[in-house]
Amino acid sequence: MQNPGTATPERFPAQDRFAVGAQFIAGRPTKGTSGRTHTVVDPATGDDVLTYELAGPDDVDAAVAAAGAAFPGWAATTPGERSDALHRFAAVLADRAEEFARAESLQCGKPLKLTREFDVPGTIDNTAFFAGAARHLQGQSAGEYSGDHTSYVRREPIGVVGSVAPWNYPLQMAAWKILPAIAAGNTIVLKPAELTPLTSLLFAQAATDAGIPDGVINIITGTGREAGEHLVGHPDVVMTSFTGSTAVGKRVAEVATATVKRIHLELGGKAPFVVFDDADLEAAVHGAVAGSLINTGQDCTAATRAYVQRPLYEEFVARTAALMETVRLGDPFAPGTDLGPLISHAQRDRVAGFVERARAYARVVTGGEAPAGELESGAFYRPTLIADAAQDSEIVQAEIFGPVLVVLPFDSDDEGIRLANDTPYGLAASAWSRDVYRTGRATREIKAGCVWVNDHIPIISEMPHGGYKASGFGKDMSTYSFEEYTQIKHVMFDNTAIARKDWHRTIFGDR
């Protein structure tokens, strides 16, 4: 690389893996050919980590060609062979877990305890899950549905997938895009965010080291406007999967539909956190702080709007603020750190802008500032609690993507559920109550792809992830994701051996 940055080997043990370049095409690392470079920055310190050559359209073409060349052979492998390859892949990831955790913490600013205990184990588990799921591409049972024919359903891989992943969970998003696609027999070209390419590249290299054939997984690291749009609009890409903001998702859909390809979109969120008056208040307060601050709030399922029934409202606000004030900001690699920086100074300033504008119409209970002193050079922002905002205000309606929770009161259950649904988004939500009928109603009536009861955030490989409304459509994880990555084919056999069938008379001749 032109500039290996200033990260120490302790912080970045995999640095030598990027000596050749930050593209991974046909099983080999290579340099981008756009003629421009990008620098990965440690958001905790502002230090340069790695400068690399960005991908351009020629690199995208090469990656798509590599995926296209690998597709016939990979699609022809048996489910068992793909399963074995993915099991080997999971084992390689497990062996390199610490390397992945440190690279993810370095490029994202995540506390090391989060990457060690959430991002990396979740990715290994996801890989192991799809190793098993590869053997279970199910279709409707064969049968004589017309009486004269036997029908059955085939699931077939669709071809070359071109996916675009965001910067907030680069390792997990790479896995969510790549694993169901290749488990179903497809090949893929993934474009990670140029801010955070390190673990996506390490993921592809680990797959190659596990014996997954060259060209099955390809990584191109470039800008969304150049490399991303070229990938999404490429005529040889048959499907695109995008995770990111709703605004960019609309552009992805516009480009993709020009070539009539399949689209899967996982977009923004503004998750409601509904606390009924019989809830366990201590559990709700702890859940609200954890659910709103995970990944420094840069999570599309993070708790962002707490609706608290009026008898508990003031105590919830006071106790949540007090707990937020105990959260320790600091070096992501330090053992005592709870909360790392935002992804960049630009993102920190964007979050701060929302809070500053909210001061005109709401109460900032705690936080609402960047720390001074030794953390000043990083993109840190204190955990922030805002109360007494109006439902139609910007802080309630817009996706902030930072460590900010807004709390509003409600009176009746009807009002609480109505307010929970009153944004354009519908990705995730939670309901807090000891009453099974109240929570049951909430799970039915809140329009979101996931509704937790008395918890907020946990995800599991066996269950689907995806949204309603402006949060997009389609599912990641689980066997439901195969709906995105397989083509359904109906095969129908005549069982009669009759040359002139009765239905032919509707076209010619008489009975």
Side-chain angles (χ1 to χ4, degrees):
M1 297 272 68
Q2 294 181 350
N3 173 14
T6 56
T8 64
E10 180 186 22
R11 292 173 81 89
F12 192 16
Q15 190 173 43
D16 60 343
R17 303 282 183 90
F18 302 93
V20 175
Q23 317 300 323
F24 193 86
I25 300 172
R28 290 176 296 281
T30 185
K31 293 182 178 181
T33 63
S34 71
R36 292 179 302 284
T37 61
H38 183 83
T39 299
V40 177
V41 174
D42 178 351
T45 63
D47 293 340
D48 293 352
V49 172
L50 186 72
T51 298
Y52 65 90
E53 297 83 1
L54 287 162
D58 290 346
D59 304 300
V60 175
D61 291 343
V64 172
F71 174 69
W74 183 246
T77 58
T78 66
E81 289 168 335
R82 294 198 293 274
S83 176
D84 289 346
L86 286 166
H87 277 301
R88 294 194 303 270
F89 188 11
V92 173
L93 293 174
D95 287 343
R96 299 177 185 175
E98 182 66 10
E99 179 181 284
F100 275 95
R102 288 182 174 273
E104 194 79 336
S105 288
L106 183 66
Q107 67 180 352
C108 298
K110 299 169 187 274
L112 196 55
K113 66 178 182 179
L114 180 65
T115 59
R116 281 175 172 166
E117 298 178 31
F118 183 76
D119 298 71
V120 174
T123 300
I124 295 169
D125 181 75
N126 214 232
T127 308
F129 169 79
F130 278 106
R135 291 179 176 265
H136 298 284
L137 292 172
Q138 297 175 347
Q140 190 170 354
S141 298
E144 287 68 50
Y145 297 98
S146 79
D148 291 338
H149 305 82
T150 296
S151 289
Y152 69 90
V153 170
R154 290 176 55 90
R155 280 191 182 271
E156 296 180 349
I158 58 177
V160 176
V161 177
S163 293
V164 179
W167 47 257
N168 59 333
Y169 288 101
L171 175 59
Q172 288 195 319
M173 294 299 100
W176 287 16
K177 302 301 182 194
I178 290 170
L179 295 171
I182 68 171
N186 303 290
T187 56
I188 188 167
V189 179
L190 174 74
K191 192 202 88 65
E194 62 270 28
L195 295 174
T196 55
L198 304 182
T199 45
S200 299
L201 292 160
L202 292 176
F203 192 73
Q205 183 63 65
T208 296
D209 294 344
I212 291 177
D214 294 350
V216 172
I217 300 171
N218 305 273
I219 309 292
I220 53 104
T221 305
T223 66
R225 188 169 297 278
E226 185 174 16
E229 289 206 6
H230 192 64
L231 175 64
V232 169
H234 200 289
D236 296 331
V237 168
V238 298
M239 173 193 164
T240 190
S241 176
F242 170 79
T243 296
S245 72
T246 298
V248 178
K250 291 177 180 178
R251 176 60 182 164
V252 167
E254 179 183 339
V255 174
T257 53
T259 51
V260 198
K261 54 173 55 73
R262 189 178 297 191
I263 309 171
H264 166 222
L265 300 175
E266 198 265 89
L267 307 176
K270 190 71 177 175
F273 186 101
V274 183
V275 182
F276 295 98
D277 57 13
D278 66 336
D280 180 330
L281 185 59
E282 182 179 10
V285 167
H286 281 79
V289 173
S292 63
L293 299 185
I294 185 171
N295 202 31
T296 318
Q298 297 167 128
D299 185 313
C300 49
T301 64
T304 60
R305 298 178 290 137
Y307 295 101
V308 182
Q309 206 149 24
R310 203 169 295 274
L312 298 183
Y313 178 72
E314 293 296 342
E315 189 176 359
F316 178 91
V317 170
R319 292 177 63 172
T320 300
L323 187 56
M324 277 188 170
E325 289 166 3
T326 69
V327 173
R328 300 163 296 181
L329 280 69
D331 178 2
F333 288 80
T337 294
D338 296 322
L339 194 73
L342 290 148
I343 189 64
S344 66
H345 287 83
Q347 179 65 10
R348 183 199 63 187
D349 294 345
R350 178 181 178 275
V351 171
F354 279 105
V355 176
E356 290 308 307
R357 291 189 295 274
R359 292 183 192 276
Y361 55 80
R363 174 166 56 106
V364 178
V365 183
T366 190
E369 62 182 4
E374 62 182 12
L375 300 182
E376 198 167 2
S377 62
F380 291 91
Y381 197 77
R382 294 195 185 283
T384 300
L385 184 68
I386 295 175
D388 306 335
Q391 174 66 16
D392 62 356
S393 62
E394 178 190 54
I395 203 77
V396 174
Q397 293 292 325
E399 187 174 32
I400 300 168
F401 230 55
V404 179
L405 175 65
V406 58
V407 188
L408 297 87
F410 69 92
D411 292 303
S412 68
D413 290 14
D414 288 349
E415 182 188 17
I417 291 173
R418 177 180 62 78
L419 292 172
N421 285 327
D422 185 27
T423 72
Y425 301 106
L427 187 58
S430 62
W432 298 74
S433 171
R434 292 183 172 96
D435 186 329
V436 66
Y437 297 103
R438 271 180 150 174
T439 57
R441 179 189 176 190
T443 63
R444 293 190 301 274
E445 296 186 14
I446 293 176
K447 304 304 181 187
C450 175
V451 181
W452 292 283
V453 175
N454 295 325
D455 208 344
H456 195 106
I457 285 298
I459 54 175
I460 49 177
S461 297
E462 292 82 359
M463 289 291 133
H465 177 86
Y468 285 33
K469 303 189 293 185
S471 291
F473 48 82
K475 300 299 179 184
D476 288 311
M477 299 200 299
S478 80
T479 55
Y480 290 98
S481 65
F482 288 136
E483 301 298 326
E484 319 301 324
Y485 295 101
T486 56
Q487 187 68 262
I488 302 300
K489 178 184 286 184
H490 170 214
V491 178
M492 194 175 201
F493 290 90
D494 171 58
N495 293 330
T496 66
I498 297 172
R500 186 173 179 181
K501 296 176 173 57
D502 186 57
W503 73 268
H504 291 176
R505 67 184 177 79
T506 63
I507 312 302
F508 64 91
D510 300 318
R511 186 182 295 276

